Amino acid sequence: MNKPFSQACENNKGPILAVLQQYFADTQEVLEVGSGTGQHSVHFAAHLTHLQWHTSDRPINHVGIQQWLDDAQLSNLHSPLTLDLNHDWPVETVEAIYTANTLHIVSWQLVERFFAGVKQHLAPAGIVCIYGPFKYQGQFTSESNQRFDEFLKQQDSQSGIRDIELITQLAQRAGFTLLSDNQMPANNQLLVFKRHA
Ligand SMILES: C[S@@+](CC[C@H](N)C(=O)[O-])C[C@H]1O[C@@H](n2cnc3c(N)ncnc32)[C@H](O)[C@@H]1O
């Protein structure tokens, strides 16, 4: 059986890794929410060998993620946990959380649940890295993102590219400050949050 494959992941894994290398330099453990194909996890675990990378997703994606993990054979890369934002998280405390291209897929209610989960499960000095497209002051950063937003809403009216102001507000209320907003290729951002001191 062929492994699931995302060309976008192949394109963005290098630029994302460059930022993660900076922010996860002293991190020993990361939980990825919505691992998708599993490609990101293999690339990051292979290059961030000082940390343990825990994949997670809804069960429907577990077989595909496990195929990537089985081929990679990395001792610091762990089998997918069942983490559906509709339900409780399968972890107690994690040192860092990474998620890519999830907040525009799930409903706003689940975006809120994501931040509630982060608040509940992230360690006191923990870091949260969120990759994806965002709007600024209600404006798309490109025409292609606007078309993507229309496409998303046709698939599911609750999906859609989020306003960075609403995301940072939600994070703020959950106790997190935006450390950096990293401009990434193809009109995406990598947001890094840290708990308030
Ligand atoms: C566009 S994919 C992104 C996958 C991968 N992170 C990437 O960047 O290619 C969206 C991901 O969100 C996950 N997802 C959707 N609904 C979810 C939910 N309710 N709880 C957790 N993950 C969910 C999907 O299973 C999928 O892995």
Side-chain angles (χ1 to χ4, degrees), residues 6 9 12 32-37 40 57-58 60-61 83-86 100-102 104-106 110:
S6 157
C9 281
N12 61 33
E32 179 179 13
V33 176
S35 297
T37 62
H40 276 167
D57 210 315
R58 298 176 300 169
I60 193 172
N61 286 337
L83 197 163
D84 183 325
L85 293 169
N86 288 288
N101 294 312
T102 48
H104 60 269
I105 298 294
V106 301
L110 290 192

Side-chain angles (χ1 to χ4, degrees), residues 65-133:
I65 295 168
Q66 192 62 50
Q67 283 179 292
W68 279 89
L69 270 56
D70 288 346
D71 281 1
Q73 289 293 311
L74 298 169
S75 59
N76 64 329
L77 181 54
H78 300 274
S79 293
L81 299 165
T82 296
L83 197 163
D84 183 325
L85 293 169
N86 288 288
H87 305 296
D88 291 343
W89 290 28
V91 293
E92 288 296 326
T93 306
V94 288
E95 206 187 335
I97 292 171
Y98 165 83
T99 195
N101 294 312
T102 48
L103 301 191
H104 60 269
I105 298 294
V106 301
S107 66
W108 182 252
Q109 190 193 5
L110 290 192
V111 175
E112 291 178 327
R113 284 187 65 99
F114 169 76
F115 279 101
V118 170
K119 180 181 181 182
Q120 187 177 347
H121 297 287
L122 194 69
I127 293 275
V128 189
C129 293
I130 302 175
Y131 174 88

Side-chain angles (χ1 to χ4, degrees), residues 126-128 130 167-168 171 176-179 191-195:
I127 293 275
V128 189
I130 302 175
I167 293 294
T168 51
F176 295 88
T177 305
L178 184 65
L179 274 187
L191 310 179
V192 182
F193 291 94
K194 190 172 186 183
R195 265 196 208 281

Side-chain angles (χ1 to χ4, degrees), residues 30-49:
V30 176
L31 171 67
E32 179 179 13
V33 176
S35 297
T37 62
Q39 279 163 273
H40 276 167
S41 71
V42 168
H43 190 68
F44 302 153
H47 288 86
L48 302 168
T49 52

